[in-house]
Amino acid sequence: MYRHIIVGRGLIGSAAARHLSSWQDGVAIIGPDEPSDRQTHSGVFGSHYDEGRLTRIFDPEPEWSVTAARSIGRYPEIEAESGVTFFTPAGFLKIVGSEDPDIKPSVTLARENGGNATVIGANEMRELYPYLTLPDDCSGIRETATAGHISPRALIRAQTNIAAKQGAEIIRSAVTKIDVQSGHVSVSTDDGQTLTAERVLMATGGYTTAMKLLPRQLATTVYGRTVLLIKVTEPAAEALQAMPTIIDGYAGSYIVPPIRYPDGNFYVKIGIGTEADPQLASVDDLTDWFKSKGSERNRLELTDVFEGLIPVLKECPDRHTDTCVTTYSATGLPYIDYVAGDRLAVAICGNGKGAKGSDDWGYAAARLVEGGDWDHPVPRFKLKAVFA
């Protein structure tokens, strides 16, 4: 019998496995590898099948800023110990209206947490980022050194490598059933195994509700998201070589600068959440979404955004969409809490911005199930689960 089983080998689950296995033995983490072909795959999917997510300390909400800061502070040691590079310090820029009331408190918060955040005007932005088309009445929130982008695939590989070196067992299966008993938890997998543990942590993202593995359903909402990937031509790549990650506060979109994807090409990635995004409630909903091309409406909206903001990308005609999902809680923060006595816990709900602080959310989840004193800056009561 294991001491702890973590179900879900995504960003938070792999982080929890690394932290937990550094403190004790008897740790296993269960989750399948990324499928080689989405269209023929019949199992679960993950939203971490990607090469670019924004990371920065800047955030208007204290809980997200401090967890990002703590995670980013650990990036160097994770990269060094794992031998896997996953962080590119490209910087960050948020474009907002110059009268936005959140500018000053958000920048102050970022600085308090160690982020090199400053406010710049439209003219300075044009000098720093000449490829952007900007309105005259805008301001920019800029963060350097501590901001940029991470590869979710590489970060999970790094976390998993370290966890394995520390003695954690990596089980590349999907969980089909969880049975909570008085003295242990049984976990059944799709390849016929039945494993037992003193405690189980569920870090299963958008599949948590759909798989119906919990004794009580949680209050979550899962949205299908569409992203647009623009293959960058050589002239565009030259123009954008110093491009930071960007949030366009006017359009509500985010943009990742040119990064290399597994096919060997460089792409600019742009994403947005809109009312056109479908809510996904069942496993069939999730499967169909991951195998689809996403929302045509979102594709058109994303095209309008990037062609207006970064005109050089108009000269890059090779474009395609991809899909992922985001899971939202009722509180706006992750649920990191027990859901069945002190045997079964969850660490879910990135609320659309969980990647940057995933290592620290994983740390909080590991601390919870490890049973020691709560030593996290986000009070435990704020992370309590809300049931449907």
Side-chain angles (χ1 to χ4, degrees), residues 64-287:
W64 293 100
S65 180
V66 70
T67 49
R70 285 161 58 93
S71 295
I72 292 166
R74 298 187 193 110
Y75 286 175
E77 67 183 73
I78 298 172
E79 289 186 330
E81 191 170 349
S82 67
V84 177
T85 300
F86 56 82
F87 172 52
T88 302
F92 166 75
L93 175 70
K94 183 172 183 180
I95 305 165
V96 296
S98 57
E99 301 301 319
D100 190 321
D102 289 334
I103 294 176
K104 186 174 181 179
S106 298
V107 168
T108 299
L109 177 64
R111 288 176 176 172
E112 289 173 352
N113 286 323
N116 181 21
T118 56
V119 181
I120 56 178
N123 288 336
E124 188 174 355
M125 273 193 285
R126 291 187 182 109
E127 291 178 8
L128 288 168
Y129 316 111
Y131 43 82
L132 297 181
T133 298
L134 300 165
D136 291 333
D137 62 345
C138 72
S139 291
I141 299 164
R142 184 178 185 232
E143 182 180 331
T144 58
T146 50
H149 52 86
I150 56 174
S151 163
R153 287 186 178 107
L155 176 52
I156 289 169
R157 188 163 65 251
Q159 301 278 31
T160 304
N161 285 356
I162 298 172
K165 285 201 305 183
Q166 293 171 165
E169 185 173 350
I170 314 302
I171 301 171
R172 291 173 165 82
S173 307
V175 170
T176 57
K177 183 180 179 181
I178 292 179
D179 188 12
V180 182
Q181 303 292 326
S182 59
H184 69 276
V185 182
S186 295
V187 177
S188 302
T189 65
D190 61 352
D191 55 1
Q193 299 183 73
T194 299
L195 311 170
T196 59
E198 295 174 15
R199 290 191 175 101
V200 168
L201 173 68
M202 298 283 291
T204 41
Y207 279 85
T208 306
T209 297
M211 292 288 286
K212 299 180 179 177
L213 296 174
L214 302 179
R216 295 175 63 190
Q217 295 293 78
L218 295 171
T220 63
T221 306
V222 181
Y223 290 100
R225 298 295 199 209
T226 303
V227 298
L228 183 63
L229 293 162
I230 304 115
K231 184 178 175 181
V232 181
T233 61
E234 287 188 14
E238 184 176 349
L240 303 177
Q241 60 181 334
M243 179 179 170
T245 56
I246 296 172
I247 290 180
D248 181 351
Y250 291 95
S253 62
Y254 68 89
I255 304 174
V256 183
I259 54 177
R260 189 187 297 275
Y261 273 72
D263 66 0
N265 295 308
F266 285 83
Y267 294 88
V268 167
K269 173 187 168 187
I270 178 169
I272 195 170
T274 74
E275 60 185 19
D277 295 333
Q279 292 189 30
L280 310 174
S282 69
V283 173
D284 286 345
D285 289 344
L286 288 160
T287 299

